[in-house]
Amino acid sequence: MTIKDKVDFMNEDVGNLNEVDGVDCQICKNKGIIYFALDDYEIAYKKCLCHKERVNALMIKKSGLEDNFNRYTMDNYISKEAWQMNIKEKANNFIKYHTKKNMLGNNIESWFYIAGQVGSGKSHICTAIVSELAKQGLDFEYLDFAHDMPKLTIELRSGYTDVREKAENKLDRLMNVKVLYIDDFMKTTDDKHVFDLINARYGKNDLITIISSERIFDKREVGLEAMPSRIYERCKEYYVVINKDEKKNMRL
């Protein structure tokens, strides 16, 4: 058997990675690798082109947002009214142009903040953005603020070392993950840990933060208060406000 025959035989072998991540690739036959001949005697292998897609698929499964990613997409976001069209346009621009240059010519990542009317599709548009960023291969975390933040705060103050250390690791992950999506921001309050989280991410130009909230910061808060001013500075044109209007509640 020639070296070519051996390579062909090995490449025809069928793997089962598709059963793990749901990605079906006919190039590598779901092995994740492709074999090739280095010379007349040695065989080597390289990652298949599907590798990035598999990493993204596993990341999405791990996040628990897989169903939401399928349900809330850019394509099915309703954009019949002018305010909806404006939101969708900003979201699409953010997906494409989230990395910008600062005054020194260095790359800096933008943030996205959408606030206001209940039921207006804020969570939908943010989930769709995160889904698209995940397709770009960006690592992400999801924080359900109203549910997860009080729990995390209690655990950070726990008298049990193992509980506290686990919570500290979680907070560190939230502070440093490439993309953080905070849903229902400021639904509950714990000024210290909330500010610590926002401030930590504000200080790193390579991190993206996406926030949905009912809380609209007024001009005074943006001008004088530390946390709103940091959020606004990193968002700029991606600070989106949906004015309170029952007609904009799509749930109704």
Side-chain angles (χ1 to χ4, degrees), residues 77-95:
Y77 176 78
I78 297 172
S79 54
K80 296 179 180 178
E81 303 293 333
W83 63 274
Q84 295 168 322
M85 294 177 188
N86 177 57
I87 291 170
K88 189 167 186 177
E89 181 182 9
K90 285 184 180 293
N92 278 319
N93 286 340
F94 183 86
I95 291 164

Side-chain angles (χ1 to χ4, degrees), residues 14-249:
V14 177
N16 64 348
L17 290 179
N18 57 312
E19 297 175 10
V20 177
D21 53 36
V23 177
D24 187 22
C25 178
Q26 294 306 307
I27 297 175
C28 66
K29 304 291 191 298
N30 295 316
K31 297 187 298 295
I33 57 176
I34 298 172
Y35 296 97
F36 62 96
L38 279 177
D39 49 38
D40 291 339
Y41 305 98
E42 288 189 82
I43 296 175
Y45 66 87
K46 60 183 178 181
K47 292 176 181 177
C48 181
L49 295 174
C50 68
H51 175 74
K52 181 177 179 181
E53 187 179 356
R54 292 187 188 282
V55 171
N56 293 347
L58 287 173
M59 184 168 60
I60 291 169
K61 284 179 179 292
K62 182 182 176 182
S63 73
L65 288 178
E66 186 175 16
D67 289 343
N68 281 352
F69 281 173
N70 293 329
R71 182 180 177 188
Y72 301 125
T73 67
M74 293 301 299
D75 289 338
N76 65 21
Y77 176 78
I78 297 172
S79 54
K80 296 179 180 178
E81 303 293 333
W83 63 274
Q84 295 168 322
M85 294 177 188
N86 177 57
I87 291 170
K88 189 167 186 177
E89 181 182 9
K90 285 184 180 293
N92 278 319
N93 286 340
F94 183 86
I95 291 164
K96 295 176 184 176
Y97 310 117
H98 53 81
T99 305
K100 297 190 175 182
K101 297 284 186 182
N102 62 14
M103 294 178 64
L104 299 176
N106 299 319
N107 285 342
I108 183 168
E109 294 287 4
S110 300
W111 290 12
F112 190 94
Y113 187 97
I114 183 167
Q117 175 62 47
V118 173
S120 55
K122 300 186 298 295
S123 295
H124 182 142
I125 205 70
C126 288
T127 301
I129 291 172
V130 176
S131 177
E132 293 301 319
L133 295 181
K135 292 175 184 176
Q136 296 176 16
L138 303 185
D139 193 15
F140 69 91
E141 281 283 341
Y142 169 69
L143 178 66
D144 181 343
F145 193 91
H147 177 269
D148 297 336
M149 205 64 198
K151 180 173 179 287
L152 183 61
T153 298
I154 292 170
E155 291 172 346
L156 286 167
R157 296 167 178 167
S158 174
Y160 296 98
T161 302
D162 58 335
V163 173
R164 191 171 63 252
E165 287 180 350
K166 185 177 180 181
E168 288 170 352
N169 290 335
K170 173 68 174 178
L171 182 60
D172 183 71
R173 167 75 173 164
L174 295 174
M175 286 179 171
N176 293 286
V177 68
K178 178 66 179 181
V179 178
L180 174 63
Y181 169 29
I182 307 176
D183 194 19
D184 274 339
F185 183 61
M186 298 299 286
K187 207 83 182 265
T188 58
T189 58
D190 183 316
D191 291 342
K192 181 185 185 308
H193 292 122
V194 175
F195 178 76
D196 288 348
L197 175 58
I198 295 298
N199 192 49
R201 297 188 64 81
Y202 169 81
K204 299 179 176 69
N205 289 342
D206 61 335
L207 302 185
I208 300 170
T209 307
I210 297 166
I211 303 172
S212 67
S213 178
E214 292 177 26
R215 176 76 178 276
I216 300 173
F217 297 120
D218 60 35
K219 290 183 178 180
R220 179 187 173 282
E221 289 175 303
V222 170
L224 297 177
E225 296 187 17
M227 187 167 62
S229 65
R230 280 164 168 73
I231 292 172
Y232 189 79
E233 181 185 338
R234 290 296 294 270
C235 292
K236 298 292 176 59
E237 70 266 36
Y238 301 120
Y239 182 88
V240 184
V241 171
I242 306 171
N243 294 322
K244 298 295 177 71
D245 183 346
E246 189 177 291
K247 295 178 181 178
K248 295 179 180 178
N249 187 340

